[in-house]
Amino acid sequence: MTLTYIFHSCFVLETEGSILIFDYWMDPLNVVPPFLQKGKPVYVFSSHFHEDHFNHRIFDWKQLNQHITYILSKDIYRRRRASKEEADVWLAKGGTWKDERIGVWALGSTDSGVSWIVETEGRRIFHAGDLNNWYAKFLPTAVPGQQMYSFEMEEVFDPIAHDKHFLGELKDIRKVADGFDVVMFPIDGRIGNGYTLGGRQFIERFKVGLFVPMHFTTGFESAWRFQEFADEKHVPFWAISKEGETIEI
């Protein structure tokens, strides 16, 4: 089983019998097409409608492989980013789906759409989508019930309520699984101080075979800073250094 980093939050997981593609946005090195042409069944996941997690061009891939199953979050349809017939499976939080190769659970997010649990060939995979503790940097000065404003995100929010929401989503995930062979999770230095908090809270609550950072476009080094914490918890960490990089699982 191999995992290939494409860009931002997009990865290709190749197993013996199938290929899974998560949250395609763009492919600077044109890494994806050769996977589509291998002749294996392909499963394409999009966790929500944001353009950095969903690109309508994924439907063009059927020209390269007729054995593609599209598994999309329902908010993509509700936001009219795709028509109902374009996807094979539409899931919201709590939804499940399976065939003879994979089992899928849609879990919650602290932003739009869902996060994913996928079981295939004896392995359990987690892709967070936009599930994260996005306002962690505001927690040290936050007052319960007080709204704050982020100029970076152009949003009004309650960081304490957001933190509780995130931890609540982790509790819901634990109802399905308490551990994963691979976890793909946002470690995005652009959100400022505390940008690793969500990942740390995740590792503290789940058994993790391999932690994979994501949700960056440049600045891989900021994600590497998470390795010290992962090492303390004896969790293997993939320090991604370039698009198209592959790791054996």
Side-chain angles (χ1 to χ4, degrees):
M1 193 176 280
T2 63
L3 186 66
T4 301
Y5 173 65
I6 305 304
F7 187 75
H8 190 59
S9 297
C10 180
F11 295 85
V12 176
L13 179 70
E14 181 175 8
T15 75
E16 184 177 344
S18 60
I19 292 170
L20 286 62
I21 304 175
F22 294 92
D23 280 20
Y24 177 86
W25 175 20
M26 59 179 69
D27 181 9
L29 299 182
N30 208 33
V31 174
V32 172
F35 283 103
L36 300 173
Q37 296 170 315
K38 287 192 173 187
K40 294 182 180 181
V42 175
Y43 298 86
V44 179
F45 297 82
S46 295
S47 65
H48 61 289
F49 77 95
H50 291 167
E51 68 173 7
D52 58 339
H53 292 259
F54 170 73
N55 187 328
H56 197 270
R57 290 174 57 192
I58 61 175
F59 300 116
D60 296 336
W61 293 346
K62 284 220 166 180
Q63 298 173 20
L64 298 176
N65 188 324
Q66 292 298 309
H67 303 289
I68 297 182
T69 301
Y70 294 95
I71 305 170
L72 273 56
S73 170
K74 282 187 176 179
D75 72 302
I76 295 170
Y77 170 64
R78 289 195 299 265
R79 295 276 186 159
R80 299 182 180 179
R81 300 301 195 271
S83 60
K84 195 167 186 178
E85 63 274 9
E86 285 181 299
D88 301 282
V89 183
W90 293 100
L91 293 177
K93 180 182 177 180
T96 63
W97 180 84
K98 66 178 181 178
D99 67 3
E100 68 275 13
R101 298 181 192 87
I102 70 170
V104 181
W105 290 257
L107 281 303
S109 177
T110 45
D111 200 335
S112 295
V114 301
S115 52
W116 301 113
I117 294 175
V118 182
E119 289 187 354
T120 182
E121 298 182 17
R123 302 292 182 93
R124 184 182 295 148
I125 313 299
F126 183 78
H127 188 285
D130 259 357
L131 173 69
N132 194 14
N133 199 333
W134 292 110
Y135 302 111
K137 80 171 184 178
F138 298 94
L139 286 172
T141 58
V143 175
Q146 184 181 72
Q147 297 285 310
M148 302 181 78
Y149 181 76
S150 168
F151 288 96
E152 296 88 353
M153 298 186 182
E154 299 182 341
E155 290 180 345
V156 176
F157 57 91
D158 179 339
I160 294 177
H162 186 82
D163 180 63
K164 289 180 179 178
H165 179 196
F166 175 69
L167 296 179
E169 295 296 350
L170 297 190
K171 286 183 179 179
D172 288 344
I173 293 168
R174 277 190 63 89
K175 294 173 185 176
V176 179
D178 65 356
F180 302 95
D181 295 286
V182 181
V183 169
M184 292 161 273
F185 195 92
I187 303 293
D188 189 343
R190 296 173 298 174
I191 65 175
N193 293 337
Y195 69 94
T196 66
L197 178 62
R200 289 186 276 122
Q201 290 170 316
F202 193 97
I203 280 181
E204 287 168 346
R205 288 160 176 79
F206 296 90
K207 299 182 219 105
V208 177
L210 175 66
F211 189 95
V212 180
M214 67 176 192
H215 209 275
F216 39 75
T217 53
T218 58
F220 296 99
E221 294 84 356
S222 63
W224 296 347
R225 296 190 186 116
F226 191 81
Q227 180 149 14
E228 182 178 355
F229 178 81
D231 288 346
E232 288 176 4
K233 298 297 182 178
H234 307 290
V235 173
F237 177 82
W238 184 15
I240 301 169
S241 61
K242 61 183 179 180
E243 288 87 15
E245 190 172 347
T246 295
I247 189 171
E248 293 277 346
I249 300 171

